[in-house]
Amino acid sequence: ASKPLHKQLWQQTIKAKITNQSNLLKIKHKNFRVLDNFAMNVLSGDTTNREALAAKYYWRELIEQPGFVRERFGSAPNPHLNYCYTILRAATARALIGVGLLPTLGIHHHNRYNDFCLADDIMEPYRPYVDRLVLRVIDEHGSEELLSTEVKSELLGILTEEIEFEGQIKPLVNALNNTASSLRQCFEGCTRKIVYPKLCI
């Protein structure tokens, strides 16, 4: 695939991610308009790094916890997010392999020690679905940092979470398969648009 195609696909991916983040803030009755502005101004290849700017704003608005930092080894809800993102990452890699793509070869992420660069790219717009589920689980079970079997089981439900995809309601794992298929079509030259779900308000 050409470098311009890689940049266009990454632009579409980040725009979809920020749009879904904005919609989740809207659902939670938070100030979302800043993210709408970021989404409209994502350039090819996201050369102005709207993704990072959006993330900083998004987490500050979404998590009502003074001093919260989204990190690998941070306090709750970080353990919940990390666990559920791992499930999403594995499902994304499986969807990519299912349509004949190598999850190692990313459109943006490049790391010789990472076997899942493409999965890390493609899962980005799906992350807000994880965030929404995690908030729901924490509301029900509290924010204990040591995840119980029951909490893990509920977080595993991310794969069957019903989402809207191209006008249809389907399990998230099926939507991942459709996204992977549309990416393959981009690489085959049939289209230049990768299809992502839009988080419903």
Side-chain angles (χ1 to χ4, degrees):
S2 67
K3 195 168 183 179
L5 177 60
H6 278 209
K7 289 183 175 182
Q8 289 170 22
L9 292 175
W10 187 240
Q11 178 188 28
Q12 293 173 37
T13 299
I14 295 307
K15 186 170 184 177
K17 177 184 180 179
I18 296 174
T19 298
N20 283 344
Q21 288 175 327
S22 174
N23 286 346
L24 182 54
L25 289 186
K26 194 180 296 185
I27 290 169
K28 295 296 180 181
H29 306 290
K30 310 282 188 177
N31 186 359
F32 61 91
R33 299 193 186 281
V34 171
L35 291 187
D36 283 348
N37 184 58
F38 283 146
M40 287 189 301
N41 290 287
V42 178
L43 302 179
S44 179
D46 190 24
T47 53
T48 55
N49 208 11
R50 298 295 101 175
E51 180 189 18
L53 294 172
K56 185 177 180 180
Y57 179 84
Y58 171 72
W59 290 114
R60 188 173 68 239
E61 286 290 312
L62 185 66
I63 306 298
E64 295 177 347
Q65 185 176 312
F68 174 78
V69 178
R70 172 70 193 112
E71 56 189 348
R72 186 174 178 187
F73 299 109
S75 59
N78 278 302
H80 302 72
L81 293 166
N82 295 337
Y83 184 81
C84 208
Y85 286 150
T86 301
I87 295 167
L88 176 62
R89 188 187 197 215
T92 306
R94 186 167 60 244
L96 293 167
I97 292 168
V99 297
L101 298 175
L102 292 173
T104 307
L105 304 176
I107 57 175
H108 176 76
H109 288 96
H110 299 284
N111 186 331
R112 62 190 292 184
Y113 303 109
N114 180 4
D115 291 331
F116 297 98
C117 288
L118 186 57
D120 290 340
D121 290 334
I122 301 308
M123 69 182 274
E124 292 293 352
Y126 286 87
R127 285 179 180 267
Y129 292 98
V130 167
D131 306 339
R132 182 177 64 178
L133 175 61
V134 164
L135 291 177
R136 192 165 69 229
V137 168
I138 285 178
D139 281 345
E140 294 174 6
H141 298 278
S143 57
E144 292 292 328
E145 293 187 17
L146 186 61
L147 304 184
S148 67
T149 302
E150 185 180 4
V151 166
K152 287 181 179 179
S153 177
E154 290 204 27
L155 293 175
L156 186 60
I158 188 62
L159 300 180
T160 54
E161 188 86 352
E162 289 193 341
I163 67 174
E164 184 175 329
F165 191 94
E166 295 191 300
Q168 296 181 328
I169 302 298
K170 57 179 61 181
L172 182 141
V173 69
N174 289 5
L176 277 173
N177 292 333
N178 292 140
T179 294
S181 180
S182 73
L183 177 61
R184 175 176 174 148
Q185 291 174 26
C186 290
F187 288 150
E188 290 176 333
C190 301
T191 181
R192 297 184 76 85
K193 181 173 174 53
I194 186 169
V195 182
Y196 286 114
K198 187 172 182 180
L199 197 149
C200 293
I201 301 168

